[in-house]
Amino acid sequence: EQELRQKNRDLSLLNRVANQLAESHSVEEILDHCLQTLCQSFQMVGGGIYLSRENRSRLKLAAHRNLTPEEEQVLLELDPRQSIIGQALLTGRPYAATDLASHPLLAAPLVVQNGWQSLQTVPLTSQTETVGVLFLFDRKNRPFSPDEVQLLLAAGNQIGTAINGAELNAALKWQGRLTQASNR
């Protein structure tokens, strides 16, 4: 019975994410709404979403929750090869760290000074392409269960597909405007 209730909560979360994706029109709206829902659902202090840029050689912070201005500044752009968060982009798999202070790929020591202890990342995928990374952080040692990671992966697939769709839609609108301008 308890397992059935948990599965019901999981499906409810994915349904909320799907509804937010359907109602959102811009990439910014998609990321903000989904990030807020996931932080609340997993009871995490905060998190962020990075989008992959320059052929996966850079990660650019596109949305965040509960980052200080200083944290935002140092986390604005990351080299995936030299960061914990980048491992999800490079491998296409979830990556977790429950003792950030001793992790060799800690890109921003400031976050440990500000009390971050654990981090969970998942790739944002659209079909076979990884378009970004979602991360959630907490100020306590908070490992995610395998079921929670699977739920985050499912949400990551939904978000990744929505990002690709929104970017394609924006490109088509831009192309339409260019066509109209050249016809004039």
Side-chain angles (χ1 to χ4, degrees):
E1 190 174 309
Q2 184 177 0
E3 186 177 327
L4 186 59
R5 271 187 249 155
Q6 182 60 46
K7 291 292 179 192
N8 192 26
R9 282 192 296 268
D10 293 353
L11 289 173
S12 175
L13 172 62
L14 289 176
N15 189 38
R16 276 193 317 238
V17 169
N19 285 335
Q20 288 172 340
L21 294 173
E23 293 170 1
S24 300
H25 299 290
S26 70
V27 172
E28 293 79 19
E29 277 185 46
I30 289 169
L31 303 181
D32 285 338
H33 291 301
C34 291
L35 189 56
Q36 178 181 2
T37 297
L38 293 170
C39 285
Q40 288 173 348
S41 295
F42 288 98
Q43 299 176 345
M44 299 297 282
V45 169
I49 295 177
Y50 281 93
L51 296 180
S52 174
R53 297 293 181 239
E54 300 170 24
N55 293 326
R56 297 170 46 135
S57 67
R58 304 299 305 156
L59 281 170
K60 178 88 170 149
L61 187 63
H64 63 84
R65 275 206 97 53
N66 295 329
L67 295 183
T68 66
E70 295 82 17
E71 290 168 344
E72 181 183 354
Q73 185 65 33
V74 298
L75 295 173
L76 193 58
E77 198 169 293
L78 294 176
D79 178 343
R81 298 169 305 231
Q82 298 176 356
S83 67
I84 299 168
I85 293 168
Q87 298 310 296
L89 176 73
L90 297 175
T91 65
R93 294 190 312 263
Y95 194 86
T98 54
D99 182 13
L100 287 176
S102 66
H103 201 285
L105 291 175
L106 181 65
L110 172 71
V111 299
V112 171
Q113 294 168 8
N114 289 354
W116 292 28
Q117 265 193 1
S118 57
L119 182 75
Q120 177 66 54
T121 68
V122 293
L124 302 177
T125 57
S126 177
Q127 297 172 356
T128 59
E129 179 187 9
T130 302
V131 297
V133 177
L134 163 75
F135 74 92
L136 300 175
F137 72 89
D138 211 337
R139 290 190 170 92
K140 60 183 183 279
N141 187 330
R142 162 65 162 95
F144 276 61
S145 72
D147 287 342
E148 289 176 316
V149 172
Q150 288 303 314
L151 183 57
L152 273 176
L153 279 169
N157 289 338
Q158 287 181 326
I159 296 167
T161 300
I163 289 168
N164 259 2
E167 288 179 343
L168 179 60
N169 189 30
L172 288 172
K173 284 181 181 178
W174 177 249
Q175 185 63 43
R177 279 181 261 173
L178 288 176
T179 302
Q180 284 177 344
S182 69
N183 286 341
R184 283 187 220 138

